[in-house]
Amino acid sequence: MPTTWKLHKDENEVDVDQITYRSIIGSLLYLTATRPDIAFSFGCCAIFQANPKESHLAVAKRIIRYVHHTIGYGLSYTFDTNTDLTTYFDADWEGCVEDRKSTSGGFYYVGLNLVAWHSKKQNS
């Protein structure tokens, strides 16, 4: 999902079937364990489960198409004697148009290998 897209609640938009939308979101939830590249987009779609609209369903389908076309991608780990821990952090201040909360995230590398990552929406 491009970072310029902002999902929002639009009461004028057409509703979609909640059961179908929740089924798609549930399937994507399992993929986030092995595909961290879709975690942000999944999170953006998951917050609209109570009242999904056509635009939310279109984004969920786009994530599925992305996964289908990148099925061969994955994380690879190399044998490296370098044991330096490197971290990268970033923040998106007021990035969510719904609640104006910021999102921060980080990546942790040992040598050249990604070992952990996190993303969190701030409480205030």
Side-chain angles (χ1 to χ4, degrees), residues 5 18-19 22-23 29-30 49-50 54 57 80 85-86 91 94 100-101 116-117:
W5 284 12
Q18 286 185 0
I19 295 172
R22 289 179 181 176
S23 174
L29 175 63
Y30 288 105
Q49 290 185 64
E54 282 185 339
L57 183 61
D80 190 7
L85 178 64
T86 308
E94 291 187 21
R100 293 289 188 212
K101 292 183 180 178
W117 67 277

Side-chain angles (χ1 to χ4, degrees), residues 1-116:
M1 185 170 110
T3 56
T4 56
W5 284 12
K6 302 291 183 186
L7 292 177
H8 60 300
K9 297 176 189 173
D10 186 3
E11 299 301 326
N12 299 328
E13 208 174 340
V14 178
D15 291 336
V16 296
D17 183 32
Q18 286 185 0
I19 295 172
T20 304
Y21 187 76
R22 289 179 181 176
S23 174
I24 292 171
I25 295 299
S27 299
L28 290 174
L29 175 63
Y30 288 105
L31 284 176
T32 59
T34 58
R35 298 289 304 260
D37 53 334
I38 65 167
F40 174 77
S41 300
F42 163 77
C44 291
C45 291
I47 62 174
F48 295 104
Q49 290 185 64
N51 192 16
K53 305 291 184 182
E54 282 185 339
S55 63
H56 307 140
L57 183 61
V59 171
K61 287 180 178 180
R62 183 180 173 114
I63 295 170
I64 292 171
R65 281 193 302 271
Y66 170 79
V67 170
H68 175 73
H69 292 294
T70 59
I71 200 76
Y73 291 14
L75 297 176
S76 62
Y77 293 96
T78 60
F79 179 74
D80 190 7
T81 57
N82 182 3
T83 58
D84 293 338
L85 178 64
T86 308
T87 59
Y88 298 98
F89 290 95
D90 193 16
D92 180 17
W93 305 108
E94 291 187 21
C96 182
V97 293
E98 291 296 319
D99 55 13
R100 293 289 188 212
K101 292 183 180 178
S102 61
T103 304
S104 63
F107 297 94
Y108 302 91
Y109 288 88
V110 173
L112 300 174
N113 300 314
L114 177 67
V115 293

